[in-house]
Amino acid sequence: MSGDIETTARILDGKSLAGEIRADLTRRVAAHRAAGRRAPGLAVVLVGDDPASVVYVRNKRRACLEVGIAARDVDRPAGTSQASLEALIDELNADPDVDGILIQMPLPAHLAAQSLLDRIDPARDVDGFHPINAGRLLLGTPGLAPCTPLGIMALLDRAQIPIDGKRAVVIGRSNIVGKPMALMLLARNATVTICHSRTPDLAKTVREGDIVVAAVGRAEMVRGDWIKPGAAVIDVGMNRDAAGKLVGDVAFAEASRVAAAITPVPGGVGPMTIAMLLSNILASYESRLELAGRGDLRSS
Ligand code: GUN
């Protein structure tokens, strides 16, 4: 590292924690297989060939295979109709080998994405995007929850960062990250503020946060002087700066001089998202196993 970046914050190493979680999941899958049960299965639906989506999907499939989850590629051309995707989802919902269904977002503009997500069996909705699962998260009842905020909670807990009674500021209000993140922090007794593009004096509000989660998708928007000294800073951003370098939503060098703990980009939140996807798939598989009275899932 260059000498002019003086990092005082603890680095929250998502890559390393994700590795531990994956090792644990690998052991659990192996135990199921050793007992004669089929592998857990994920169907990954990719429509079109958006380059970023192709990379994300490849990483998710690879991660599945590493822990022993059978990942089925379901690639469809960009022009695929809504009706044929609906038929595909119905088919996957009825497939006894499929524990998780993931539709990679974004979908081409002619498709009604939420109506496709609504069609996924909530018990196979490993992204946690179905309205039933969103509602369960809101109500605090058991269900499948979105992977990125789940991964962030795991990172905070592993680092023993206190949440109860703390001020948390979430920047971004997406259905995938911002809203579920706010609900999870609220469920743990944080006082939560959700900020977005219309929030006046964003810096002032962010400065109130003992925990700051940045999920806006704008390179290095959150500056060091926005951060309360001693705060925990979680950076969900994955952006390219002017030089093409991968950077987060937080100006890392500045913020790490003020924060007590901070996630790097890459190697922070990203690997945790994938680890939580795998964890959701296994949870879905294990609950199906119980429903089926075990025997039904034995491999022949
Ligand atoms: N596109 C960007 N993030 C995600 C995600 O977490 N799940 C899916 N399915 N698509 C995405």
Side-chain angles (χ1 to χ4, degrees):
M1 285 285 119
S2 63
D4 60 340
I5 298 178
E6 183 200 340
T7 304
T8 55
R10 179 155 54 123
I11 304 298
L12 302 173
D13 185 348
K15 193 171 172 197
S16 147
L17 178 56
E20 287 175 34
I21 292 169
R22 283 151 70 148
D24 178 58
L25 295 171
T26 304
R27 283 190 288 272
R28 275 165 59 193
V29 172
H32 287 301
R33 300 308 308 276
R37 299 179 196 118
R38 68 165 172 85
L42 174 72
V44 184
V45 179
L46 174 64
V47 184
D49 51 10
D50 171 70
S53 290
V54 168
V55 173
Y56 290 144
V57 158
R58 191 191 304 142
N59 290 340
K60 290 173 190 179
R61 286 171 181 153
R62 188 182 301 147
C64 280
L65 299 179
E66 273 173 25
V67 303
I69 293 170
R72 185 190 306 176
D73 301 355
V74 188
D75 295 347
R76 292 289 182 270
T80 304
S81 70
Q82 183 86 11
S84 83
L85 288 171
E86 286 171 1
L88 169 65
I89 293 166
D90 292 348
E91 211 177 284
L92 295 172
N93 281 339
D95 188 326
D97 291 338
V98 171
D99 301 292
I101 301 170
L102 183 154
I103 304 177
Q104 185 63 30
M105 299 289 152
L107 287 171
H110 69 280
L111 294 168
Q114 189 61 50
S115 124
L116 293 172
L117 295 174
D118 292 358
R119 207 172 179 99
I120 294 175
D121 171 10
R124 291 177 165 83
D125 169 39
V126 288
D127 262 330
F129 295 166
H130 191 284
I132 295 254
N133 284 319
R136 286 172 176 152
L137 181 60
L138 184 83
L139 298 174
T141 55
L144 290 162
C147 304
T148 297
L150 273 182
I152 291 169
M153 295 306 286
L155 258 181
L156 291 171
D157 284 341
R158 169 53 71 94
Q160 297 187 306
I161 289 164
I163 300 172
D164 195 318
K166 297 297 177 183
R167 292 290 304 266
V169 177
V170 178
I171 318 171
R173 54 173 155 178
S174 71
N175 293 335
I176 296 182
V177 184
K179 286 185 211 166
M181 183 80 258
L183 289 170
M184 287 180 201
L185 290 164
L186 182 63
R188 294 280 298 276
N189 303 320
T191 300
V192 182
T193 304
I194 306 178
C195 302
H196 48 79
S197 55
R198 304 285 180 87
T199 302
D201 203 350
L202 189 54
K204 176 166 172 283
T205 305
V206 173
R207 226 173 272 127
E208 292 168 359
D210 301 302
I211 298 168
V212 174
V213 179
V216 274
R218 288 187 50 189
E220 301 182 321
M221 188 183 84
V222 177
R223 310 308 308 188
D225 64 358
W226 295 24
I227 303 299
K228 176 177 174 176
V233 177
I234 308 295
D235 191 348
V236 183
M238 291 266 259
N239 317 288
R240 298 273 165 196
D241 70 5
K245 185 176 159 236
L246 185 64
V247 296
D249 291 347
V250 177
F252 181 87
E254 292 175 14
S256 61
R257 289 190 202 104
V258 187
I262 188 166
T263 59
V265 176
V269 173
M272 291 301 296
T273 296
I274 296 193
M276 292 299 118
L277 172 66
L278 303 174
S279 165
N280 276 351
I281 298 164
L282 199 55
S284 168
Y285 168 83
E286 288 178 343
S287 64
R288 193 153 296 103
L289 202 77
E290 277 159 29
L291 289 177
R294 305 206 158 199
D296 293 2
L297 288 172
R298 279 178 202 285
S299 54
S300 46

